[in-house]
Amino acid sequence: MKPSLVVGKIMQLISASLPNRCLMCHQSIALPARGLCHVCLDSGLYHQPICQGCGCAMQVQCIFCGRCLLKQPIAVIAPCSYHQGLGEWIGLIKYQAQFAALPVLSQALVNRVCELESLGLLRLPQVLVPVPLHINRQRKRGFNQAWLIADSIYQQLNIPIAVQGLERVLDTESQAGLTGQQRRMNLSGAFRLADSFPYQRIALIDDVVTTGTTVNEIATMFKKLNIHVQVWCLARAEAPGLLD
């Protein structure tokens, strides 16, 4: 047996021997489930129709609420609100490289996508496009969380990932704590898209959508090439009161 396979087998045995507990309630979870138990995960997921535009609660599941229907904003698909209990674990993925909740949250996103597709409210894209990091930030962090999410989705839906065509050319400051206007100024010219992109429908992948500044900046470039864009993320941090 190759040494790499031996090491992999040892790591699997070690992992299987460790306590498998929910990050939130610390109760034991039966393998192969990991990260979050069903009860804690379910408590943070959406349980009502949600507008894909602004994230407000609706009475009937449609693509957009009446207000967004007039604006036709970019559609954002997420399984939960960042503010309803699961945001902490999503933040730990990006800022502390703690990936325990990533598989179950990615599965929740895929479930949401499949639900909306079955209702005729979503058309699957041809390719997944992770929001890119600048090379300096990726080297410092060691990974791109958007790519990890995209890879998990690929494993479940077999939709390929586009690894070329879109790049981040400016090493901007973090968007956290900036106002909407500051966010837009911060990202102006931060991304570059190739002149030709061989797809007509893409899903832009990110961990969290807050004001939508980042995804809208990127979507504008794709739309100039007549490419349809939707956004898939683990959670959206909608404005206060929209879920009331």
Side-chain angles (χ1 to χ4, degrees), residues 54-211:
C54 65
C56 74
M58 300 189 296
Q59 295 298 315
V60 178
Q61 184 65 73
C62 303
I63 298 177
F64 296 128
C65 65
R67 183 170 47 195
C68 289
L69 195 59
L70 297 175
K71 302 176 185 178
Q72 292 290 310
I74 186 170
V76 177
I77 289 81
C80 66
S81 167
Y82 191 82
H83 307 301
Q84 299 296 311
L86 298 177
E88 176 183 355
W89 315 111
I90 297 172
L92 289 176
I93 294 171
K94 176 161 58 176
Y95 296 116
Q96 297 189 28
Q98 294 187 19
F99 306 121
L102 179 59
V104 67
L105 291 171
S106 296
Q107 178 67 65
L109 171 56
V110 168
N111 291 345
R112 179 68 171 164
V113 165
C114 293
E115 176 189 7
L116 293 174
E117 184 196 20
S118 69
L119 293 173
L121 301 177
L122 177 151
R123 187 179 181 189
L124 290 180
Q126 297 166 299
V127 69
L128 308 174
V129 180
V131 172
L133 290 178
H134 189 273
I135 188 171
N136 292 341
R137 184 164 298 181
Q138 180 148 342
R139 284 173 176 168
K140 182 178 180 180
R141 186 175 295 170
F143 62 93
N144 178 359
Q145 70 281 354
W147 191 92
L148 295 177
I149 297 166
D151 184 60
S152 182
I153 296 170
Y154 162 72
Q155 299 296 331
Q156 299 173 70
L157 296 180
N158 200 32
I159 300 175
I161 302 172
V163 295
Q164 295 180 336
L166 177 67
E167 61 177 326
R168 192 162 191 154
V169 294
L170 295 182
D171 190 6
T172 57
E173 64 176 298
S174 172
Q175 295 282 83
L178 300 182
T179 65
Q181 182 178 7
Q182 290 171 333
R183 285 170 179 257
R184 289 188 291 272
M185 292 178 61
N186 188 44
L187 287 179
S188 179
F191 299 96
R192 180 167 58 204
L193 179 63
D195 293 334
S196 62
F197 197 81
Y199 302 98
Q200 292 76 48
R201 303 187 315 278
I202 73 163
L204 197 58
I205 309 299
D206 208 355
D207 56 342
V208 179
V209 171
T210 306
T211 64

Side-chain angles (χ1 to χ4, degrees), residues 21-25 27-29 33-42 104:
R21 299 187 181 277
C22 174
L23 293 169
M24 295 181 70
C25 70
Q27 296 297 311
S28 297
I29 309 174
R34 288 187 177 278
L36 298 167
C37 71
H38 173 74
V39 174
C40 289
L41 175 66
D42 190 64
V104 67

